[in-house]
Amino acid sequence: MEPKSPQLVDLLWNDIIFQYIFPLLSIRDLYRLRATSKSYKELVEAYFFIVHAKNLRVLKLNNCTWFTSGCLEALTLHQHHLENIDFSNTCIGDHNTMNMFLKKSKHLSKIHVENVQIITDESLFYIGQHCPLLRKINIRQNFHVTEKGIRLLLNACKKLDMVYLRLCPSLSYNFIQEISKQVRVDKCNVTNEFFTIVKFPTRQHNLFPADDIFEV
């Protein structure tokens, strides 16, 4: 079997394609390329989103299959004013790239990384060190974040008001009760039944079965 011929999409997106190839093409050429295949569609869309959009404040890419580590690397280099991001259910596979992005994103106030399994306690450390304006974070369906990471985050981010922790199996019910005195928490798993924990001014715990009551 003959080896597969290299394709344009096999080149480094940010270091080569976005920097040296796409700037030479017209908008018409890029849209023609976009129409040729699913891979080129994703490549061109990533180029327009990340490189051409200037001074983005809000970026919602949840469930975008084309948003990979290469896209995140380009985002780190080109967008420095993001305040609200949603990378939930994306295919980012390199935790070092994610940590570098967090290190460069000092304006973030809302972070949604539900079901992004490269988020670990180390990621929460980077957020705590470099995202002082953080008010809300969604890390639902995460199997790697532990109580240690959440404590680091709460101690570092003084403006943090809301943490979404549903389906994080490493977090105990007692721990959720404890931190709900400090910050609002959405849902926790108690013997396979979901409850909502709400922080009231009296700092008393109120537990009752319910759907989400906080806007993500």
Side-chain angles (χ1 to χ4, degrees):
M1 180 181 295
E2 295 184 0
K4 180 182 177 181
S5 300
Q7 302 290 319
L8 176 63
V9 292
D10 296 327
L11 299 175
L12 294 175
W13 286 19
N14 185 63
D15 292 343
I16 298 177
I17 299 176
F18 292 171
Q19 297 290 334
Y20 300 107
I21 299 177
F22 277 8
L24 301 178
L25 302 179
S26 66
I27 298 296
R28 177 178 294 182
D29 290 335
L30 288 170
Y31 270 90
R32 285 174 175 171
L33 179 64
R34 179 180 179 273
T36 59
S37 72
K38 181 179 179 180
S39 296
Y40 287 119
K41 177 178 181 292
E42 294 174 352
L43 178 62
V44 173
E45 287 179 352
Y47 176 67
F48 280 118
F49 265 113
I50 295 170
V51 178
H52 270 276
K54 301 299 182 182
N55 297 323
L56 286 176
R57 295 294 193 275
V58 178
L59 185 60
K60 296 188 177 182
L61 297 173
N62 52 305
N63 300 309
C64 288
T65 57
W66 56 264
F67 189 69
T68 60
S69 297
C71 295
L72 184 59
E73 183 179 349
L75 191 67
T76 303
L77 294 175
H78 295 284
Q79 300 294 338
H80 304 119
H81 301 282
L82 287 167
E83 299 173 3
N84 183 350
I85 60 166
D86 190 346
F87 297 161
S88 299
N89 301 303
T90 54
C91 301
I92 305 168
D94 184 354
H95 73 276
N96 290 324
T97 302
M98 172 62 79
N99 291 341
M100 182 57 64
F101 168 78
L102 295 171
K103 186 176 180 179
K104 299 289 186 179
S105 301
K106 61 182 180 180
H107 299 291
L108 286 175
S109 63
K110 297 180 182 179
I111 298 175
H112 299 279
V113 283
E114 179 174 347
N115 193 29
V116 178
Q117 298 306 323
I118 61 167
I119 298 296
T120 63
D121 288 346
E122 183 182 9
S123 308
L124 299 185
F125 171 79
Y126 273 87
I127 293 173
Q129 291 295 307
H130 302 287
C131 304
L133 303 179
L134 185 67
R135 294 189 296 108
K136 292 184 180 181
I137 185 168
N138 174 7
I139 49 178
R140 290 171 173 168
Q141 299 186 60
N142 184 287
F143 296 94
H144 306 294
V145 166
T146 69
E147 296 176 5
K148 178 182 178 181
I150 299 297
R151 290 188 192 278
L152 285 172
L153 184 69
L154 294 179
N155 289 333
C157 296
K158 303 303 182 183
K159 296 181 180 293
L160 187 59
D161 177 62
M162 184 72 213
V163 184
Y164 298 87
L165 297 173
R166 182 182 180 185
L167 297 178
C168 292
S170 297
L171 306 179
S172 69
Y173 175 58
N174 289 336
F175 174 73
I176 297 294
Q177 281 191 311
E178 176 189 340
I179 66 171
S180 67
K181 299 176 183 179
Q182 181 179 353
V183 67
R184 291 186 296 165
V185 184
D186 64 334
K187 291 183 176 181
C188 62
N189 194 345
V190 186
T191 62
N192 295 323
E193 185 174 5
F194 290 106
F195 292 84
T196 300
I197 299 181
V198 187
K199 174 188 170 186
F200 287 90
T202 58
R203 293 196 171 186
Q204 295 178 346
H205 300 290
N206 286 265
L207 306 179
F208 49 91
D211 291 328
D212 291 346
I213 62 172
F214 299 113
E215 180 182 359
V216 179

